[in-house]
Amino acid sequence: MRYAATLIAGALMTAGALAQDYPQRPIRLLVGFTPGGSTDVIARVIAHKLSETMGVQVLIDNRPGAGGNIGVELTAKSPPDGYTLVMGHIGTMAVNPTLYNKIPYAPSDFVGVCELASSPNTFTVKAELPAKTIKELITQAKGSNGKFNIGSINIGTTQHLSAELLKSMAGLDAAAVPFNNTAGVLTALRGNSIQVAMEFLPPVLGQIRANTLRAVAVTSIQRSPMLPNVPTLNESGLNGFEVNSWNGIAVPAKTPKAIVDKLNKALADALAKDSVRKQIVDIGAQPRSSTSEELTRHVAAEIAKWQGVREKAGIPQQ
């Protein structure tokens, strides 16, 4: 017993020493998407403030491709020493493990550090469309003899799965039509080949505010501070409907807890800064911090949720 206690005490002292000395060189923050998108912008805002707090450079390393899997895989294979972080995203951390049959990483390869931001999807229509509410749109869809189309970006994205979840909960005979990008979705909306766009809020927020598009509802459980006058699907009759596109920092699973805790504190402190919060809000997202344990539990719950949606929609694993 004494020997075991000595080992435990020694391990705790070692972990504490690691955290005290950490960091001593630049930290890499992997982003599985191209520069300029909302995930990349949030990563850069956070990296700048984290560099100031940690006293070393936090360098953004964009590794787009394979639905964000490349950057996540690189993190999973990196040493668990706190010098490689990944900008986790609902798609890469929660949806991809249910969508891909042979994904090059597992959820157990990571531990969450801190959630950073969250944003709903929007149920968006052309500004001149007569239907003003979700109930009116559902009535229109049910009277269309199967000619009601909901557009979103690629199959398996949270936008596409949100459309499938809506169809399921509302009992709609509608097609969820995928496009390669947001521009394609919005072109189809204006051309009337789709009646509704299910899209992540940041890319359409400017057009909604300019009244060229109209948001009928948002997918968060509570109204978005970005669109306070737009109801949620939950309050519009689809009880329990909730989809948020979120970002958070994760590290390889065996990273010492003392280092995870030090990173968590630095990230929480950054998110408490008005300048950081403003930059995140300006792109249409809501700053949101968490403990490491809260983010890890959230990811597990999201995986279970989207696995069920994928199976019910009949979307095959890729």
Side-chain angles (χ1 to χ4, degrees), residues 34 42 53 77 88 101 114 126 142 150 169 176 185 197 221 226 231 237 250 280 284 287 291 316:
T34 54
I42 294 170
T53 303
K77 294 178 178 178
N101 188 35
C114 184
K126 293 198 300 184
K142 289 184 174 179
I150 305 171
M169 291 183 68
V185 176
I221 204 73
M226 306 300 104
I280 293 174
T291 66

PDB file of all heavy atoms in Angstrom, residues 34 42 53 77 88 101 114 126 142 150 169 176 185 197 221 226 231 237 250 280 284 287 291 316:
ATOM      1  N   THR A  34     -10.387  25.354 -44.424  1.00  0.00           N
ATOM      2  CA  THR A  34      -9.614  26.385 -45.105  1.00  0.00           C
ATOM      3  C   THR A  34      -9.673  27.704 -44.331  1.00  0.00           C
ATOM      4  O   THR A  34     -10.608  27.952 -43.568  1.00  0.00           O
ATOM      5  CB  THR A  34     -10.152  26.623 -46.532  1.00  0.00           C
ATOM      6  OG1 THR A  34     -11.557  26.910 -46.448  1.00  0.00           O
ATOM      7  CG2 THR A  34      -9.941  25.415 -47.403  1.00  0.00           C
ATOM      8  N   ILE A  42     -12.592  31.864 -35.622  1.00  0.00           N
ATOM      9  CA  ILE A  42     -12.632  31.678 -34.164  1.00  0.00           C
ATOM     10  C   ILE A  42     -11.292  31.155 -33.666  1.00  0.00           C
ATOM     11  O   ILE A  42     -10.772  31.607 -32.632  1.00  0.00           O
ATOM     12  CB  ILE A  42     -13.775  30.733 -33.768  1.00  0.00           C
ATOM     13  CG1 ILE A  42     -15.127  31.377 -34.081  1.00  0.00           C
ATOM     14  CG2 ILE A  42     -13.696  30.371 -32.282  1.00  0.00           C
ATOM     15  CD1 ILE A  42     -16.308  30.442 -33.959  1.00  0.00           C
ATOM     16  N   THR A  53      -1.481  34.944 -23.289  1.00  0.00           N
ATOM     17  CA  THR A  53      -1.643  34.350 -21.959  1.00  0.00           C
ATOM     18  C   THR A  53      -0.557  33.329 -21.646  1.00  0.00           C
ATOM     19  O   THR A  53      -0.009  33.300 -20.534  1.00  0.00           O
ATOM     20  CB  THR A  53      -3.016  33.669 -21.854  1.00  0.00           C
ATOM     21  OG1 THR A  53      -4.036  34.617 -22.144  1.00  0.00           O
ATOM     22  CG2 THR A  53      -3.244  33.087 -20.475  1.00  0.00           C
ATOM     23  N   LYS A  77      -2.575  11.448 -33.724  1.00  0.00           N
ATOM     24  CA  LYS A  77      -1.281  10.770 -33.845  1.00  0.00           C
ATOM     25  C   LYS A  77      -0.126  11.595 -33.261  1.00  0.00           C
ATOM     26  O   LYS A  77       1.024  11.187 -33.349  1.00  0.00           O
ATOM     27  CB  LYS A  77      -1.013  10.448 -35.314  1.00  0.00           C
ATOM     28  CG  LYS A  77      -1.999   9.419 -35.889  1.00  0.00           C
ATOM     29  CD  LYS A  77      -1.735   9.159 -37.362  1.00  0.00           C
ATOM     30  CE  LYS A  77      -2.695   8.095 -37.913  1.00  0.00           C
ATOM     31  NZ  LYS A  77      -2.499   7.856 -39.360  1.00  0.00           N
ATOM     32  N   GLY A  88     -11.728  21.522 -32.490  1.00  0.00           N
ATOM     33  CA  GLY A  88     -12.825  20.587 -32.662  1.00  0.00           C
ATOM     34  C   GLY A  88     -14.064  21.287 -33.197  1.00  0.00           C
ATOM     35  O   GLY A  88     -14.295  22.474 -32.950  1.00  0.00           O
ATOM     36  N   ASN A 101     -17.293   4.968 -42.184  1.00  0.00           N
ATOM     37  CA  ASN A 101     -17.136   3.582 -41.745  1.00  0.00           C
ATOM     38  C   ASN A 101     -15.722   3.307 -41.248  1.00  0.00           C
ATOM     39  O   ASN A 101     -15.517   2.549 -40.297  1.00  0.00           O
ATOM     40  CB  ASN A 101     -17.482   2.629 -42.896  1.00  0.00           C
ATOM     41  CG  ASN A 101     -17.526   1.190 -42.457  1.00  0.00           C
ATOM     42  OD1 ASN A 101     -17.928   0.895 -41.339  1.00  0.00           O
ATOM     43  ND2 ASN A 101     -17.107   0.293 -43.326  1.00  0.00           N
ATOM     44  N   CYS A 114     -11.906  22.700 -23.800  1.00  0.00           N
ATOM     45  CA  CYS A 114     -12.846  23.778 -23.495  1.00  0.00           C
ATOM     46  C   CYS A 114     -13.692  24.062 -24.732  1.00  0.00           C
ATOM     47  O   CYS A 114     -13.165  24.133 -25.846  1.00  0.00           O
ATOM     48  CB  CYS A 114     -12.091  25.037 -23.089  1.00  0.00           C
ATOM     49  SG  CYS A 114     -13.126  26.428 -22.572  1.00  0.00           S
ATOM     50  N   LYS A 126     -36.648  32.851 -49.053  1.00  0.00           N
ATOM     51  CA  LYS A 126     -36.573  34.138 -49.746  1.00  0.00           C
ATOM     52  C   LYS A 126     -37.432  35.155 -49.004  1.00  0.00           C
ATOM     53  O   LYS A 126     -38.488  34.823 -48.463  1.00  0.00           O
ATOM     54  CB  LYS A 126     -37.046  33.998 -51.189  1.00  0.00           C
ATOM     55  CG  LYS A 126     -36.146  33.152 -52.051  1.00  0.00           C
ATOM     56  CD  LYS A 126     -36.382  33.389 -53.533  1.00  0.00           C
ATOM     57  CE  LYS A 126     -37.808  33.070 -53.946  1.00  0.00           C
ATOM     58  NZ  LYS A 126     -37.980  33.212 -55.425  1.00  0.00           N
ATOM     59  N   LYS A 142     -46.715  20.050 -46.763  1.00  0.00           N
ATOM     60  CA  LYS A 142     -47.623  18.903 -46.760  1.00  0.00           C
ATOM     61  C   LYS A 142     -48.649  18.972 -47.881  1.00  0.00           C
ATOM     62  O   LYS A 142     -49.211  17.946 -48.265  1.00  0.00           O
ATOM     63  CB  LYS A 142     -48.306  18.794 -45.397  1.00  0.00           C
ATOM     64  CG  LYS A 142     -47.340  18.343 -44.293  1.00  0.00           C
ATOM     65  CD  LYS A 142     -48.035  18.138 -42.962  1.00  0.00           C
ATOM     66  CE  LYS A 142     -47.061  17.555 -41.948  1.00  0.00           C
ATOM     67  NZ  LYS A 142     -47.672  17.340 -40.617  1.00  0.00           N
ATOM     68  N   ILE A 150     -35.785  20.985 -49.297  1.00  0.00           N
ATOM     69  CA  ILE A 150     -34.973  21.699 -48.314  1.00  0.00           C
ATOM     70  C   ILE A 150     -33.512  21.563 -48.732  1.00  0.00           C
ATOM     71  O   ILE A 150     -32.995  20.451 -48.832  1.00  0.00           O
ATOM     72  CB  ILE A 150     -35.160  21.114 -46.906  1.00  0.00           C
ATOM     73  CG1 ILE A 150     -36.643  21.101 -46.514  1.00  0.00           C
ATOM     74  CG2 ILE A 150     -34.350  21.909 -45.884  1.00  0.00           C
ATOM     75  CD1 ILE A 150     -36.931  20.334 -45.235  1.00  0.00           C
ATOM     76  N   MET A 169     -39.217  14.926 -37.473  1.00  0.00           N
ATOM     77  CA  MET A 169     -40.026  15.429 -36.373  1.00  0.00           C
ATOM     78  C   MET A 169     -41.336  16.058 -36.852  1.00  0.00           C
ATOM     79  O   MET A 169     -42.351  16.014 -36.138  1.00  0.00           O
ATOM     80  CB  MET A 169     -39.225  16.441 -35.551  1.00  0.00           C
ATOM     81  CG  MET A 169     -38.074  15.827 -34.777  1.00  0.00           C
ATOM     82  SD  MET A 169     -37.167  17.014 -33.730  1.00  0.00           S
ATOM     83  CE  MET A 169     -38.416  17.392 -32.487  1.00  0.00           C
ATOM     84  N   ALA A 176     -34.417  16.380 -48.887  1.00  0.00           N
ATOM     85  CA  ALA A 176     -33.279  17.143 -48.383  1.00  0.00           C
ATOM     86  C   ALA A 176     -32.216  17.118 -49.481  1.00  0.00           C
ATOM     87  O   ALA A 176     -31.574  16.098 -49.714  1.00  0.00           O
ATOM     88  CB  ALA A 176     -32.750  16.536 -47.092  1.00  0.00           C
ATOM     89  N   VAL A 185     -26.429  26.504 -52.471  1.00  0.00           N
ATOM     90  CA  VAL A 185     -27.712  26.440 -51.757  1.00  0.00           C
ATOM     91  C   VAL A 185     -28.506  27.717 -52.001  1.00  0.00           C
ATOM     92  O   VAL A 185     -29.707  27.680 -52.340  1.00  0.00           O
ATOM     93  CB  VAL A 185     -27.487  26.243 -50.248  1.00  0.00           C
ATOM     94  CG1 VAL A 185     -28.816  26.289 -49.499  1.00  0.00           C
ATOM     95  CG2 VAL A 185     -26.779  24.928 -49.966  1.00  0.00           C
ATOM     96  N   ALA A 197     -33.753  26.901 -47.211  1.00  0.00           N
ATOM     97  CA  ALA A 197     -32.334  26.580 -46.995  1.00  0.00           C
ATOM     98  C   ALA A 197     -32.106  26.350 -45.507  1.00  0.00           C
ATOM     99  O   ALA A 197     -32.511  27.171 -44.680  1.00  0.00           O
ATOM    100  CB  ALA A 197     -31.446  27.712 -47.501  1.00  0.00           C
ATOM    101  N   ILE A 221     -32.079  25.763 -28.876  1.00  0.00           N
ATOM    102  CA  ILE A 221     -33.214  25.581 -27.958  1.00  0.00           C
ATOM    103  C   ILE A 221     -33.732  26.924 -27.464  1.00  0.00           C
ATOM    104  O   ILE A 221     -34.904  27.074 -27.122  1.00  0.00           O
ATOM    105  CB  ILE A 221     -32.821  24.665 -26.775  1.00  0.00           C
ATOM    106  CG1 ILE A 221     -34.079  24.002 -26.170  1.00  0.00           C
ATOM    107  CG2 ILE A 221     -32.030  25.418 -25.743  1.00  0.00           C
ATOM    108  CD1 ILE A 221     -34.672  22.915 -27.011  1.00  0.00           C
ATOM    109  N   MET A 226     -28.148  36.848 -31.912  1.00  0.00           N
ATOM    110  CA  MET A 226     -27.924  37.485 -33.207  1.00  0.00           C
ATOM    111  C   MET A 226     -29.250  37.815 -33.907  1.00  0.00           C
ATOM    112  O   MET A 226     -29.333  38.779 -34.666  1.00  0.00           O
ATOM    113  CB  MET A 226     -27.111  36.570 -34.134  1.00  0.00           C
ATOM    114  CG  MET A 226     -25.801  36.055 -33.582  1.00  0.00           C
ATOM    115  SD  MET A 226     -24.666  37.374 -33.172  1.00  0.00           S
ATOM    116  CE  MET A 226     -24.830  37.382 -31.393  1.00  0.00           C
ATOM    117  N   PRO A 231     -38.041  33.089 -33.932  1.00  0.00           N
ATOM    118  CA  PRO A 231     -38.344  32.007 -32.992  1.00  0.00           C
ATOM    119  C   PRO A 231     -37.488  30.772 -33.240  1.00  0.00           C
ATOM    120  O   PRO A 231     -36.888  30.608 -34.303  1.00  0.00           O
ATOM    121  CB  PRO A 231     -39.817  31.714 -33.250  1.00  0.00           C
ATOM    122  CG  PRO A 231     -40.026  32.127 -34.672  1.00  0.00           C
ATOM    123  CD  PRO A 231     -39.124  33.308 -34.889  1.00  0.00           C
ATOM    124  N   GLY A 237     -43.333  24.552 -32.177  1.00  0.00           N
ATOM    125  CA  GLY A 237     -44.132  23.332 -32.201  1.00  0.00           C
ATOM    126  C   GLY A 237     -43.345  22.050 -32.318  1.00  0.00           C
ATOM    127  O   GLY A 237     -43.899  20.961 -32.120  1.00  0.00           O
ATOM    128  N   ALA A 250      -9.606  20.425 -28.378  1.00  0.00           N
ATOM    129  CA  ALA A 250      -9.347  19.085 -27.851  1.00  0.00           C
ATOM    130  C   ALA A 250      -7.872  18.772 -28.011  1.00  0.00           C
ATOM    131  O   ALA A 250      -7.160  19.393 -28.810  1.00  0.00           O
ATOM    132  CB  ALA A 250     -10.197  18.041 -28.575  1.00  0.00           C
ATOM    133  N   ILE A 280     -16.046  37.114 -31.828  1.00  0.00           N
ATOM    134  CA  ILE A 280     -16.814  35.887 -32.073  1.00  0.00           C
ATOM    135  C   ILE A 280     -18.264  36.220 -32.396  1.00  0.00           C
ATOM    136  O   ILE A 280     -18.850  35.670 -33.329  1.00  0.00           O
ATOM    137  CB  ILE A 280     -16.711  34.953 -30.852  1.00  0.00           C
ATOM    138  CG1 ILE A 280     -15.268  34.439 -30.709  1.00  0.00           C
ATOM    139  CG2 ILE A 280     -17.681  33.778 -30.982  1.00  0.00           C
ATOM    140  CD1 ILE A 280     -15.021  33.623 -29.459  1.00  0.00           C
ATOM    141  N   GLY A 284     -21.370  35.929 -35.972  1.00  0.00           N
ATOM    142  CA  GLY A 284     -22.642  35.233 -35.830  1.00  0.00           C
ATOM    143  C   GLY A 284     -22.631  34.072 -34.867  1.00  0.00           C
ATOM    144  O   GLY A 284     -23.561  33.269 -34.851  1.00  0.00           O
ATOM    145  N   PRO A 287     -20.058  33.131 -27.836  1.00  0.00           N
ATOM    146  CA  PRO A 287     -18.980  32.577 -27.013  1.00  0.00           C
ATOM    147  C   PRO A 287     -19.553  31.682 -25.912  1.00  0.00           C
ATOM    148  O   PRO A 287     -20.590  31.994 -25.323  1.00  0.00           O
ATOM    149  CB  PRO A 287     -18.314  33.820 -26.416  1.00  0.00           C
ATOM    150  CG  PRO A 287     -18.742  34.950 -27.291  1.00  0.00           C
ATOM    151  CD  PRO A 287     -20.097  34.597 -27.790  1.00  0.00           C
ATOM    152  N   THR A 291     -15.954  23.308 -18.847  1.00  0.00           N
ATOM    153  CA  THR A 291     -14.859  22.525 -18.283  1.00  0.00           C
ATOM    154  C   THR A 291     -14.470  21.453 -19.291  1.00  0.00           C
ATOM    155  O   THR A 291     -15.206  21.170 -20.250  1.00  0.00           O
ATOM    156  CB  THR A 291     -15.278  21.848 -16.964  1.00  0.00           C
ATOM    157  OG1 THR A 291     -16.297  20.876 -17.250  1.00  0.00           O
ATOM    158  CG2 THR A 291     -15.802  22.867 -15.967  1.00  0.00           C
ATOM    159  N   PRO A 316     -26.220   6.033 -45.658  1.00  0.00           N
ATOM    160  CA  PRO A 316     -25.225   4.976 -45.467  1.00  0.00           C
ATOM    161  C   PRO A 316     -23.890   5.547 -44.995  1.00  0.00           C
ATOM    162  O   PRO A 316     -23.541   6.687 -45.296  1.00  0.00           O
ATOM    163  CB  PRO A 316     -25.074   4.371 -46.869  1.00  0.00           C
ATOM    164  CG  PRO A 316     -25.449   5.492 -47.803  1.00  0.00           C
ATOM    165  CD  PRO A 316     -26.513   6.283 -47.079  1.00  0.00           C
TER     166      PRO A 316
END
